[in-house]
Amino acid sequence: MRKPWIVGVLLTGVLLGACSDPTSGPEPDPPSLAPPGSAATTHQRAAGSSPSTPAEPPVVLYLGDSLAMEAQNVLGQELRRDLRAEYTSRPYSGTTVCDYLEGTGARSLVPDRDKAAALVRSLRPDFVVLQFWGNAWGYTWCMDGITHAERPTTYFKRYKADLARLTDQITTAGGAHPPRIVWVAQGPDPITPDRVRRVNELYTERAAASHDLVADAGAKVSAAGARYSWVQYLPCTAYEREHADYCTQPDRDRTALHLDKDYLHFCLAPTTATPKPCAVRSPGILRIAREITRVIGAHPVG
């Protein structure tokens, strides 16, 4: 029998599974959630190197679950400012990889117009960023009731197969110029740490098999030397110390990644029944977005 607090967490995840209905087409610039006056590139901020922007701005498509839902505006902001990217996001809370597969019909939380392959055919992106925590319960219809808790071997087998199917659909949809997929490795999970570790391994294996990329954003929200040990707070980075809104507890030189009652999400505002982008400055989200942007910037187009 599951412990009551675990059930509460799972019910929270189910609540966040309500679908959003984003409009089609490239998105306008969102209101800034980063401090003004910071025009340095990701390469400068991360490594102190000279300014470096790609010869050709990349076209980036961002898909995923509630983690992508909350981070989509901040990632767009980072990509546009640092790489001059053309950016579109279509996250749906509560989803997993199979929801973005074509051919799932009504058994999916993602409508046909926003399936990965359909968006690749219409937008012709250079990169498709995929961020999934790896929905582990029976809420997502396309998983056919396969859960990690009850059937872990079947869960991982199915998840691996879905990664391959989604890669094939995206590659085929890209035609002569298929996009590169960026799999986003997730941060620690206090409930099923080994599950997240294995899911991240599957992302790495899939990327290696298809010559795609991994952005280990999860490492940026993990303690040094403890990649899969969950923490609510981390020491402030130099960037966060310079911007008070991101170093949430400067007197202790640490910043908050999660709210007290939400171990999964990184938005420092309570989640609601209607999924939407995070509207407050949240260090975890910025750390994740900057790592994704860094990886894309390290593989210029053209």
Side-chain angles (χ1 to χ4, degrees):
M1 179 179 294
R2 294 189 180 97
K3 291 180 172 60
W5 69 278
I6 294 179
V7 173
V9 169
L10 296 184
L11 288 177
T12 298
V14 171
L15 175 63
L16 295 179
C19 290
S20 62
D21 186 18
T23 57
S24 60
E27 300 162 359
D29 289 327
S32 177
L33 293 178
S38 176
T41 68
T42 298
H43 303 289
Q44 288 176 289
R45 290 197 303 257
S49 61
S50 60
S52 175
T53 54
E56 182 179 342
V59 179
V60 181
L61 173 63
Y62 185 39
L63 308 177
D65 56 17
S66 58
L67 295 176
M69 173 64 72
E70 67 180 6
Q72 61 183 310
N73 283 0
V74 176
L75 178 59
Q77 173 181 278
E78 294 295 301
L79 287 167
R80 291 184 179 107
R81 183 181 60 216
D82 290 0
L83 306 180
R84 298 179 293 121
E86 180 180 326
Y87 172 76
T88 302
S89 61
R90 291 292 180 272
Y92 284 82
S93 293
T95 57
T96 194
V97 175
C98 59
D99 285 292
Y100 282 92
L101 289 169
E102 290 189 319
T104 51
R107 292 176 53 74
S108 172
L109 297 173
V110 176
D112 288 347
R113 68 176 182 274
D114 287 339
K115 298 294 190 182
L119 290 171
V120 168
R121 285 191 290 268
S122 63
L123 298 173
R124 296 297 174 186
D126 301 300
F127 298 91
V128 178
V129 180
L130 299 172
Q131 182 167 12
F132 296 95
W133 176 76
N135 195 321
W137 51 74
Y139 174 67
T140 305
W141 305 322
C142 64
M143 283 294 288
D144 300 317
I146 299 170
T147 65
H148 174 264
E150 297 176 356
R151 302 163 64 188
T153 300
T154 304
Y155 167 83
F156 288 123
K157 182 177 180 180
R158 171 62 183 276
Y159 203 80
K160 181 177 182 178
D162 286 342
L163 298 184
R165 288 182 62 198
L166 188 58
T167 297
D168 289 344
Q169 289 191 2
I170 289 172
T171 300
T172 300
H177 301 287
R180 296 197 78 174
I181 296 173
V182 181
W183 296 101
V184 180
Q186 297 309 304
D189 174 1
I191 309 301
T192 58
D194 289 336
R195 183 197 64 82
V196 170
R197 184 198 308 270
R198 179 60 181 142
V199 165
N200 284 345
E201 289 173 354
L202 291 177
Y203 293 151
T204 300
E205 292 169 7
R206 182 66 258 163
S210 54
H211 305 289
D212 287 315
L213 305 170
V214 174
D216 192 2
K220 303 302 180 181
V221 290
S222 303
R227 175 64 176 81
Y228 288 100
S229 295
W230 184 89
V231 291
Q232 185 176 2
Y233 300 93
L234 281 177
C236 295
T237 64
Y239 179 87
E240 290 162 353
R241 293 187 193 101
E242 293 172 359
H243 302 88
D245 289 337
Y246 285 100
C247 190
T248 58
Q249 296 185 358
D251 57 323
R252 304 177 69 176
D253 191 31
R254 69 178 193 175
T255 195
L257 301 179
H258 306 277
L259 293 176
D260 290 344
K261 296 182 179 181
D262 189 342
Y263 77 93
L264 172 61
H265 298 96
F266 294 92
C267 184
L268 296 184
T271 54
T272 65
T274 303
K276 56 188 176 182
C278 187
V280 300
R281 291 188 174 97
S282 301
I285 289 177
L286 184 61
R287 290 182 182 207
I288 289 168
R290 290 174 67 178
E291 179 60 14
I292 296 170
T293 301
R294 186 195 67 79
V295 169
I296 292 175
H299 296 84
V301 176

